Amino acid sequence: METCKYPCASSPRTFDITEHYKIHKYIPYTMRQRITFFHKNENGVEPRALKIAGRSLSGPDIVAEREDRITLALEELPIELQHVLRESQELYIRWQKPVAYTTIGPWSSKIPPGLHVFYTPGNSEKPDGGRLCRLFRTAFGPLDCSSTSGSFTKLPNDRFSHSTAYQFYHILNDLSHFSSYLEQYVCVSGNSECKARAQRLLDANSVDFSYDAISHVVKVSALWPHERQPLFVESHPDHRAEVGIMTPDTPPHLDQHEIGVTGLLTVLGEDSKPSPTLFSFPSRHKTTPRSSFSSSFLRPWGLHPTMQLRISSSKPPMEGASCALHTYLTLPRTIFADKYQLGDELFLSSKNLSSLRYISQPVDLEAPSYTMNIWGSSVLLELQPPDVKDNQPWTAEIPLHLRYLAPADKGYRNVSVPWPAVFWACNAEDGMKFSNNPFDRVNLGYDGLFGPRTMFWHVDPKTSEGENLYHEIQVPVLDLGLSNRISSGTATIVMMGLAFVVWKLVSVCLGMGNNNGHGSPKSGPGRKRKRF
């Protein structure tokens, strides 16, 4: 397993990027990119302040969220990545930054922080043998990933066809290694724009990579937080670029499951001025209004810590719809949930839990962490809010268990546990088509465990000042500094005990010999018997 810093000497370049771009001159494919700025009504930009010159758009800085989405044909990708994707039916990579944030745009979906991979091989009977993990280690750094069959968990894709076959998770705080990988392996020498975009990924809240064999295209998207953004976009002559400057709006007859937006659209190289637009679309992900949650571990931790979720409201987001509150956890291999313990209805009720909806398999309840290859486990729990009439903050408790960890120098190891995602799952109306959403986000792990007409109302996490979305637990383990003395002391006691046993055996043997040679005289002809 690689543990080197980027660039790794053991991960040499597998293709010449300059030759790769030369080949693209003869390939009739056009990269498409869509750049969307989403701002509050009071932070809008006047159309006359925008300047469109050729294939560039510029204007004053804007306080907004920004999403970049790039669509590529398979033939436009580096050769190494092409090989991996041609052997895949589906590959979805989701990365979430470990910070709490709220969104004003149509990007309400939330997942636990870190790197999530959802994968379906092209041949279900012959999963990837390790090429996928090698690519991940090259792109994202030293991940604990050996092969699909060894490190990934299986998903129940037999229940819902829109779920992938395998899942992988890794705690990844930032994309510094991935940014360097893009600069080194993807950006052609001298392409300052490509390198600048790779560097901007360090500030993104989320990055997604999506591929499926049916569409035969790759979609890469990144979302930046609501802050002051430079309003300047420039497009390559061979690329199609669409720029949108949007704000929330409420068109007439807007349904509760829909989102309305209005703003300006510009296709660089085609439009001489921005075009006003107003439209609405159904969205499967929305934010629960006036609701938040926090997560913590009850002290003392011990080897069986309890995660406590404090939720600010118990009121469902939709009136007249069937809604249930859920939490989705991705637990590294160092910690796990016991499905047998979570199967006791009386116990669950005492913790404000309703039922265990899903837990990935297999979950070995006894194996130490250092003997396992699998990444960990994912858990979907339905929560049991108190009476809706009493709309007050309430708590739910999730019992977890730590595995035995490898020894450490000072007798302790730190374990990171990501915050879960909390959301209401509500049934949408029959005939609802969420695929009409231009900002739709699917394959997040938990959405594949529900029906295709489920709406997710997300509860935003709320952290303390300076806190991120990872819990840090200090776990006692064998102290390597004391283990040598313990081993020496144990060996000394064993040798002393062995010496004592040998000495006693020798003493017994010597005593028997003396008795045979110098025994007490027995009665004989010359000995008088004592009369009583």
Side-chain angles (χ1 to χ4, degrees):
M1 195 69 66
E2 294 185 36
T3 57
C4 58
K5 294 184 178 180
Y6 187 87
C8 293
S10 57
S11 298
R13 177 174 291 174
T14 57
F15 61 94
D16 188 276
I17 192 66
T18 304
E19 293 296 325
H20 174 70
Y21 276 91
K22 288 180 180 179
I23 293 173
H24 273 203
K25 295 180 180 180
Y26 307 100
I27 300 178
Y29 299 102
T30 302
M31 184 183 83
R32 292 171 291 166
Q33 56 178 329
R34 187 191 70 199
I35 300 167
T36 306
F37 296 92
F38 212 93
H39 61 86
K40 295 181 180 179
N41 290 327
E42 61 268 24
N43 296 327
V45 176
E46 291 292 334
R48 60 176 176 269
L50 301 176
K51 181 180 179 181
I52 300 175
R55 303 190 66 85
S56 67
L57 180 147
S58 59
D61 290 354
I62 183 173
V63 178
E65 292 176 305
R66 172 173 173 163
E67 186 207 44
D68 288 11
R69 175 171 290 196
I70 299 174
T71 303
L72 299 158
L74 190 61
E75 290 76 10
E76 294 182 276
L77 300 173
I79 303 299
E80 184 181 25
L81 183 55
Q82 285 190 41
H83 289 325
V84 172
L85 296 182
R86 290 187 189 279
E87 298 176 355
S88 307
Q89 182 69 26
E90 297 172 292
L91 178 61
Y92 302 98
I93 303 173
R94 309 285 185 247
W95 177 79
Q96 189 81 34
K97 196 172 186 177
V99 296
Y101 66 92
T102 57
T103 178
I104 62 172
W107 303 289
S108 300
S109 62
K110 297 290 194 302
I111 56 176
L115 182 68
H116 304 253
V117 179
F118 305 98
Y119 171 68
T120 301
N123 186 352
S124 59
E125 297 180 357
K126 188 179 180 182
D128 169 74
R131 177 181 287 181
L132 188 63
C133 284
R134 288 194 296 271
L135 178 62
F136 288 159
R137 293 197 298 269
T138 303
F140 295 103
L143 307 186
D144 194 0
C145 180
S146 57
S147 66
T148 304
S149 57
S151 301
F152 285 54
T153 54
K154 290 186 178 181
L155 291 174
N157 61 338
D158 55 339
R159 181 180 177 187
F160 296 118
S161 59
H162 56 277
S163 176
T164 58
Y166 294 95
Q167 178 184 6
F168 176 80
Y169 172 79
H170 183 80
I171 291 178
L172 191 65
N173 290 324
D174 58 66
L175 294 178
S176 56
H177 194 287
F178 181 63
S179 176
S180 300
Y181 166 81
L182 293 179
E183 292 185 59
Q184 180 77 10
Y185 285 79
V186 177
C187 296
V188 67
S189 178
N191 191 339
S192 58
E193 180 190 356
C194 177
K195 293 183 178 181
R197 298 186 78 166
Q199 284 291 327
R200 284 204 302 269
L201 291 179
L202 299 177
D203 300 322
N205 277 340
S206 64
V207 175
D208 292 353
F209 176 98
S210 303
Y211 168 79
D212 65 87
I214 298 176
S215 65
H216 212 62
V217 298
V218 169
K219 294 180 181 179
V220 182
S221 61
L223 178 66
W224 284 268
H226 183 256
E227 60 186 9
R228 183 170 294 277
Q229 310 270 3
L231 188 53
F232 177 79
V233 180
E234 191 173 21
S235 175
H236 191 275
D238 296 333
H239 301 163
R240 187 184 189 278
E242 181 182 270
V243 181
I245 303 175
M246 304 291 183
T247 188
D249 197 4
T250 307
H253 312 294
L254 185 71
D255 292 332
Q256 192 174 13
H257 60 270
E258 293 182 320
I259 293 178
V261 298
T262 185
L264 303 171
L265 287 178
T266 305
V267 179
L268 301 183
E270 298 180 10
D271 298 338
S272 58
K273 62 178 182 179
S275 302
T277 183
L278 172 66
F279 61 97
S280 63
F281 49 86
S283 177
R284 78 175 78 233
H285 297 282
K286 301 189 75 173
T287 300
T288 305
R290 297 177 298 279
S291 184
S292 63
F293 83 96
S294 62
S295 175
S296 63
F297 275 99
L298 299 179
R299 291 177 178 270
W301 295 322
L303 292 178
H304 305 278
T306 297
M307 177 183 288
Q308 183 184 75
L309 303 179
R310 179 172 293 274
I311 303 167
S312 63
S313 174
S314 59
K315 184 178 180 180
M318 297 179 65
E319 298 291 342
S322 175
C323 296
L325 187 61
H326 294 77
T327 182
Y328 178 74
L329 300 88
T330 50
L331 303 174
R333 69 165 67 107
T334 53
I335 191 169
F336 66 95
D338 186 350
K339 67 176 182 179
Y340 301 104
Q341 183 183 26
L342 296 176
D344 186 339
E345 294 183 2
L346 186 61
F347 174 79
L348 291 177
S349 180
S350 68
K351 304 294 183 181
N352 278 342
L353 304 176
S354 177
S355 61
L356 174 65
R357 292 301 184 186
Y358 169 77
I359 185 169
S360 58
Q361 299 295 331
V363 178
D364 194 323
L365 304 182
E366 302 295 337
S369 172
Y370 48 83
T371 65
M372 301 176 63
N373 293 323
I374 205 165
W375 68 265
S377 59
S378 55
V379 180
L380 178 67
L381 281 165
E382 182 179 340
L383 307 183
Q384 189 177 47
D387 190 358
V388 178
K389 296 180 181 179
D390 185 19
N391 191 20
Q392 298 293 327
W394 59 284
T395 61
E397 297 179 0
I398 304 172
L400 301 173
H401 309 274
L402 289 164
R403 297 188 183 276
Y404 293 112
L405 307 180
D409 287 332
K410 296 183 179 181
Y412 288 94
R413 283 191 177 274
N414 290 328
V415 170
S416 297
V417 182
W419 280 40
V422 177
F423 55 86
W424 291 88
C426 303
N427 293 331
E429 298 177 1
D430 292 340
M432 187 62 58
K433 295 181 179 180
F434 293 110
S435 58
N436 296 333
N437 182 352
F439 306 98
D440 197 21
R441 193 184 188 201
V442 296
N443 291 285
L444 305 176
Y446 54 82
D447 56 344
L449 304 175
F450 294 88
R453 290 198 303 270
T454 303
M455 286 188 61
F456 302 97
W457 291 78
H458 294 267
V459 181
D460 285 335
K462 183 179 180 181
T463 59
S464 303
E465 185 177 356
E467 184 183 19
N468 64 16
L469 296 181
Y470 287 124
H471 295 294
E472 298 295 334
I473 301 178
Q474 196 174 54
V475 184
V477 297
L478 176 63
D479 191 340
L480 288 175
L482 299 176
S483 62
N484 291 333
R485 280 181 282 178
I486 294 174
S487 300
S488 300
T490 302
T492 301
I493 293 174
V494 170
M495 293 302 296
M496 291 175 62
L498 179 62
F500 176 77
V501 172
V502 171
W503 175 69
K504 295 300 291 182
L505 291 174
V506 170
S507 299
V508 171
C509 292
L510 292 177
M512 292 178 63
N514 291 334
N515 289 338
N516 291 335
H518 308 282
S520 57
K522 297 181 180 180
S523 58
R527 179 153 179 100
K528 295 182 179 179
R529 295 181 179 273
K530 186 176 180 179
R531 296 178 180 269
F532 292 95

